[in-house]
DNA sequence: TAAATAAAGTTGCTTTAAGAGACCAAATTA
DNA sequence: TAATTTGGTCTCTTAAAGCAACTTTATTTA
């Protein structure tokens, strides 16, 4: 039925999920990061229905994750390009990718080897760090004034 | 229709989204990180229908993101607790939260102030780093052998 | 110049999942 | 023993996903 929306939620995670938290949106952003820009390419790479792709692209453009620009080659053509807001999803995508690689590795295939252009070295494992740059887990954090929406506790 | 599933995808992002990429799963994990453990609490905090919550909890348990443990108080009681795999979603949640705070700030409310227990200081902004610990963006990365599933290019 | 092709949608129909709310069973407490 | 609490299940309605066919505009190709 109708997926609930969280536009007005006071939780920024819920608001973020409202924009890119459905099945396709993040995959579209991912492929845009790979360099995909055209409607037909998204469609073929993702195997997504055209009407759904239309809808998702339009919503991503509405939310300023993508921008639609004319690219006058061949038939009527457009390109969908990441905005700064869209590129800023890079840590989210990388965190998801690393989680997937760690906990659900492909049985046959090695994880994607992402490297930094400047050093030629693999990208580091993404982690949450404290002010001193030390990695921390969910057990290390707390909310000062216990102002957690709908809950009373502070960590797991 | 049926939301497509990606169990067998050779893309680890797709596989990750298959486990936590629907509207509710990540929010459930988020609240579990806040300390929520019981069915009724999830239900009230999230405002989710009970049958959907049942389904999502069962799936998260199947995928070993949560574990269901008996906690014999009151009526028949269980607790849903994060596994290590579930706690490992911390960077994903934090990355999403920070993206939401940056690009869709709540008009009235300050972003959630997450702090590190050890230092009392706020948690750092999460970022992708190269081997030297320098922050990098999506434009700085490439895939050595151009082995990108379904695509030909390497970055946006 | 006409026909064929391609890109980007749109429309209609079918299937599936989400949501609301009623109902239910086991253990607890009063 | 009766009322509650917890954690579900069942049914029904509605909305969204998927498929396939059709449209439109522009661009090649014949």
């Amino acid at each position: 039925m109708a997926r609930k929306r969280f536009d007005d939620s006071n939780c920024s995670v819920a608001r973020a999920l409202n924009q890119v938290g459905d099945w396709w949106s993040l995959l579209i952003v991912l492929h845009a990061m790979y360099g995909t820009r055209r409607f037909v390419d998204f469609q073929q790479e993702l195997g997504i229905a055209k009407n759904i792709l239309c809808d998702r692209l339009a919503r991503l453009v509405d939310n300023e994750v993508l921008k639609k620009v004319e690219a006058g080659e061949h038939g009527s053509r457009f390109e969908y390009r990441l905005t700064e807001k869209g590129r800023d999803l890079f840590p989210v995508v990388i965190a998801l990718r690393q989680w997937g690689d760690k906990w659900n590795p492909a049985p046959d295939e090695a994880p994607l080897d992402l490297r930094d252009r400047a050093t030629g070295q693999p990208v580091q494992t993404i982690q949450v760090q404290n002010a001193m740059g030390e990695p921390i887990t969910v057990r290390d954090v707390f909310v000062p004034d216990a102002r957690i929406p709908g809950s009373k506790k502070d960590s797991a």
Side-chain angles (χ1 to χ4, degrees), chain A:
Chain A
M1 109 353 135
R3 159 215 294 149
K4 239 173 217 182
R5 313 230 69 153
F6 302 101
D7 297 64
D8 56 342
S9 171
N10 60 349
C11 171
S12 57
V13 177
R15 292 198 309 278
L17 288 175
N18 194 43
Q19 301 203 344
V20 294
D22 66 294
W23 284 90
W24 290 116
S25 296
L26 253 192
L27 287 178
I28 291 172
V29 168
L30 170 70
H31 280 250
M33 287 179 178
Y34 286 159
T36 304
R37 290 178 175 171
R38 298 235 316 289
F39 188 93
V40 283
D41 293 332
F42 282 114
Q43 214 223 316
Q44 286 173 12
E45 291 170 17
L46 293 168
I48 182 177
K50 292 169 90 175
N51 49 353
I52 305 301
L53 178 58
C54 258
D55 182 79
R56 287 311 112 89
L57 287 173
R59 183 141 70 217
L60 288 169
V61 169
D62 276 353
N63 290 332
E64 299 183 281
V65 171
L66 295 178
K67 61 184 174 232
K68 183 175 181 175
V69 299
E70 287 201 50
E73 314 165 49
H74 316 310
S76 56
R77 283 197 186 201
F78 303 96
E79 285 189 353
Y80 292 89
R81 299 204 192 182
L82 288 169
T83 60
E84 190 195 342
K85 179 176 176 180
R87 284 191 297 273
D88 230 20
L89 283 167
F90 189 48
V92 174
V93 169
I94 292 296
L96 265 177
R97 173 180 291 295
Q98 291 178 352
W99 184 81
D101 282 335
K102 177 172 179 182
W103 293 101
N104 307 296
D108 47 340
E109 204 166 352
L112 195 64
D113 182 20
L114 273 181
R115 289 169 180 263
D116 170 43
R117 261 187 234 290
T119 64
Q121 296 297 306
V123 163
Q124 273 196 21
T125 299
I126 200 167
Q127 50 193 5
V128 183
Q129 299 175 336
N130 68 10
M132 315 182 59
E134 297 161 342
I136 57 178
T137 74
V138 66
R139 305 210 221 228
D140 295 316
V141 302
F142 71 105
V143 177
D145 49 11
R147 187 180 50 73
I148 295 177
S151 180
K152 288 112 239 145
K153 293 159 160 186
D154 57 330
S155 107

